[in-house]
Amino acid sequence: MISIAFALALMGVQDLPAAADIEPEVTTEVAPAPAPAPEPELERDPVTGELPVDPYEMSNAHAGATPFTGTAMRDAFHGQEGIRRVVDNMVDRAVIDPRISEIFVAHDLVRLRRTLFEQFCHILNAGCDYTGRDMESSHRDLGLQVDDLNVLVENLQAAMADEKVGFAAQNRLLSKLAPMKRDVVTR
Amino acid sequence: MKDLSVLRVAACLFSLSASTLVSANLPAQAQDLRNGGKLLLTNGVSTIEGSGGGGLATWSTIAGNATQEGIGGSVHGTVIELPDYNWTSFGVSVGFFDRLELSYARQNLDTIDIGTALGLGRGYTLNQNVFGAKLKLAGDVVYGDPLLPQIAIGVQHKRSSDAAVVAAVGGASPNGTDFYISATKLFLSQSVLANATVRFTKANQTGLLGFGSATDSNHKPQFEGSLAYQLSRRFVVGGEYRTKPNNLGIAREDDWVDLFAAYALTRNVTVTAAYVDLGSIATADNQRGALLSLQAAF
Ligand code: HEM
């Protein structure tokens, strides 16, 4: 019983630093603008709206999983349209989820939505190539914990449920993402 | 009296290890201690012996909702209605950093009319305290290599409060310790969770009838298997099989089987209902009935 009270007290304590971190940074920006650019001199591409990144080699292998074969998974996700809705919904949820929202500040969400879409579309065999970076190098500097991953998985599950993707198919996509934990979670 | 002091020692140990583990962790990364981060149902439920697992079978999962980032725990209560007995048990467990689990469970078996038949008196209740510790060695139930399960080893020290009854039925000792190794994996591509546990035990009816007998007093390997299908984030159905020793001359002991459904009402509360077949218990055959268990985890 003592230990339960103790652990409960800890649960309270651990909320404090998080709350303290949310500094009411006063910016005059009004529009739901994408996160501020990490370096002021970077300019968004007028066509894609993305920030430039350092050059890297492109390969479908960077998607981090062998794609499904056949069309069942593509259909379960309602094709590219559905996959785009799932990815956008997941990102929308993640960036306002108080448990992980801070991690996305100052990252190029335009690029993230595109590369995540490509990655899911490629893995689900819905006719895309993945042109983003590999999982290890794109998460290396984020210092993610397994709790962050679990939160993102919950956001993805909610997005897939909104898209009415069957639960077995949801888990099948997760089975492709689960082994990537070792590249994504660095702490 | 004795039970109480054991309890107190256990409670102290719990909080001691909690504070050492935590203070070791606090200075460097206080902001990183996070609790309650596990995905729904991936902590399993509480077994009748208090450890994290299915209803009857112990799994390698660590109790509570915390991941390697924090400390969690659970409390549970279980009732089993059988033709000739009523079972109640309750317990608490604490999971440290998804690595170490300490647990306590109290089991009570109301013998109703069998008590009269055995000369104990109607409604005589057999009691037992179970102290458990479990250490995760490798793997992860959800993430990582899809073929590498989460593997854990554990001990359960059991102390029956009915030494006289244990002696009368031929049990060699009212106290005993089980050792087990367990492997559990959620196969996401099939939505199937599988568990296999080997338990070295000499417990008679998990220890409620003591440990070993005059003729048979060695630890023997027994098997506990669970197979479950995840229907949704909140809902899982499955079955379990648990083999048991058969040490006592006066009463046969059977393997246990159950079919269960577990539902996560909230992130913290899970209800489990099961059909259980516990076979023959202390001369009363065909003990088939219903199990209902409620767990609160944080
Ligand atoms: C298995 C799980 C994950 C997958 C499959 C995944 C996928 C991706 C992809 C495709 C990119 C883009 C790479 C590029 O820009 O070339 C990316 C970047 C990023 N991911 Fe993840 N991710 C995962 C887990 C997470 C988690 C748990 C978080 C945080 C909660 C996260 C936060 C980010 C951020 C902030 C970026 C942008 C990095 C940058 O701007 O350079 N990711 N991820």
Side-chain angles (χ1 to χ4, degrees), chain A residues 43-50:
Chain A
E43 292 251 342
R44 289 193 178 271
D45 184 297
V47 179
T48 64
E50 293 184 18

Side-chain angles (χ1 to χ4, degrees), chain A residues 53 56 62-63 90 94 100 103-109 111-112 114-117 119-120 123 130-135 137-139 142 144-153 176-181 184-185, chain B residues 143:
Chain A
V53 298
Y56 58 92
H62 289 169
M90 174 182 80
I100 57 171
I103 299 168
F104 295 92
V105 171
H107 288 285
D108 184 354
L109 296 184
R111 178 185 167 88
L112 185 60
R114 173 179 64 81
T115 48
L116 270 173
F117 163 77
Q119 183 187 35
F120 285 17
I123 292 173
Y130 178 66
T131 66
R133 292 167 288 202
D134 67 85
M135 292 303 99
S137 50
S138 44
H139 297 89
L142 298 177
L144 298 178
Q145 296 183 308
V146 68
D147 285 40
D148 301 315
L149 179 54
N150 282 347
V151 172
L152 194 69
V153 167
K176 294 287 189 186
L177 307 182
M180 298 177 196
K181 179 195 162 211
V184 167
V185 175
Chain B
Y143 294 115

Side-chain angles (χ1 to χ4, degrees), chain A residues 2-4 6-7 10, chain B residues 8-26 33 70-72 93-97 100-103 132-135:
Chain A
I2 297 170
S3 55
I4 292 191
F6 190 76
L10 275 173
Chain B
R8 235 174 262 134
V9 170
C12 281
L13 274 176
F14 277 23
S15 47
L16 253 182
S17 40
S19 40
T20 38
L21 279 166
V22 171
S23 53
N25 212 43
L26 271 179
L33 187 67
I71 297 173
S93 47
V94 183
F96 299 97
F97 305 102
L100 174 68
E101 171 189 288
L102 299 178
S103 62
K134 186 196 296 180
L135 183 69

Side-chain angles (χ1 to χ4, degrees), chain A residues 2-3 10-11 14 99 145-150 153-154 157 167-168 171-172 175 178-179 181 187, chain B residues 14-15 22 32-35 37-39 67-69 142-144 188-189 191 230-233 267 298:
Chain A
I2 297 170
S3 55
L10 275 173
M11 278 164 63
Q14 61 104 31
R99 297 170 294 176
Q145 296 183 308
V146 68
D147 285 40
D148 301 315
L149 179 54
N150 282 347
V153 167
E154 285 177 7
Q157 286 177 320
F167 191 72
N171 268 350
R172 243 170 263 145
S175 77
K181 179 195 162 211
R187 287 198 288 170
Chain B
F14 277 23
S15 47
V22 171
D32 295 329
L33 187 67
R34 299 162 73 173
N35 297 313
K38 266 185 200 153
L39 293 170
T67 64
Q68 66 195 52
E69 261 60 270
V142 181
Y143 294 115
L188 283 165
S189 52
S191 295
Q230 212 188 355
L231 288 163
S232 79
R233 280 174 72 225
R267 182 177 284 283
F298 56 84

Side-chain angles (χ1 to χ4, degrees), chain B:
Chain B
M1 240 21 243
K2 192 151 176 246
D3 286 346
L4 262 181
S5 58
V6 171
L7 251 178
R8 235 174 262 134
V9 170
C12 281
L13 274 176
F14 277 23
S15 47
L16 253 182
S17 40
S19 40
T20 38
L21 279 166
V22 171
S23 53
N25 212 43
L26 271 179
Q29 25 175 232
Q31 75 280 16
D32 295 329
L33 187 67
R34 299 162 73 173
N35 297 313
K38 266 185 200 153
L39 293 170
L40 273 187
L41 289 174
T42 58
N43 58 335
V45 295
S46 301
T47 68
I48 53 164
E49 280 146 324
S51 311
L56 301 180
T58 290
W59 297 353
S60 64
T61 47
I62 301 296
N65 290 346
T67 64
Q68 66 195 52
E69 261 60 270
I71 297 173
S74 63
V75 294
H76 81 280
T78 300
V79 296
I80 311 177
E81 294 279 329
L82 298 169
D84 296 303
Y85 299 96
N86 285 331
W87 168 292
T88 54
S89 55
F90 56 87
V92 315
S93 47
V94 183
F96 299 97
F97 305 102
D98 204 24
R99 173 65 63 187
L100 174 68
E101 171 189 288
L102 299 178
S103 62
Y104 164 75
R106 169 81 173 178
Q107 304 176 335
N108 314 293
L109 186 71
D110 182 346
T111 60
I112 321 176
D113 287 332
I114 303 292
T116 320
L118 295 177
L120 299 169
R122 187 171 195 283
Y124 187 91
T125 301
L126 296 164
N127 304 301
Q128 181 175 234
N129 295 310
V130 183
F131 303 91
K134 186 196 296 180
L135 183 69
K136 173 170 138 183
L137 295 182
D140 188 298
V141 70
V142 181
Y143 294 115
D145 186 333
L147 295 180
L148 177 65
Q150 177 162 323
I151 298 167
I153 52 172
V155 293
Q156 287 172 351
H157 180 63
K158 304 174 171 183
R159 306 181 71 85
S160 158
S161 314
D162 301 278
V165 178
V166 167
V169 299
S173 168
N175 305 323
T177 305
D178 293 354
F179 304 90
Y180 61 86
I181 178 160
S182 177
T184 311
K185 190 74 184 179
L186 173 58
F187 296 99
L188 283 165
S189 52
Q190 278 79 38
S191 295
V192 166
L193 183 138
N195 173 73
T197 298
V198 178
R199 177 192 295 267
F200 298 88
T201 182
K202 49 182 175 175
N204 309 319
Q205 299 294 3
T206 81
L208 281 164
L209 297 180
F211 299 80
S213 66
T215 53
D216 220 338
S217 215
N218 297 319
H219 281 86
K220 282 197 222 83
Q222 303 293 335
F223 176 76
E224 293 167 28
S226 314
L227 214 54
Y229 184 77
Q230 212 188 355
L231 288 163
S232 79
R233 280 174 72 225
R234 297 185 176 281
F235 192 33
V236 53
V237 294
E240 299 186 300
Y241 195 90
R242 175 168 176 173
T243 70
K244 312 226 319 304
N246 190 12
N247 297 325
L248 295 181
I250 67 150
R252 189 183 85 241
E253 183 166 345
D254 291 328
D255 295 347
W256 285 356
V257 185
D258 76 65
L259 295 172
F260 70 88
Y263 191 84
L265 292 172
T266 69
R267 182 177 284 283
N268 303 103
V269 179
T270 306
V271 59
T272 308
Y275 162 82
V276 297
D277 182 348
L278 304 187
S280 181
I281 298 178
T283 72
D285 290 344
N286 299 326
Q287 298 302 312
R288 302 188 185 111
L291 172 151
L292 192 68
S293 184
L294 200 63
Q295 171 180 276
F298 56 84

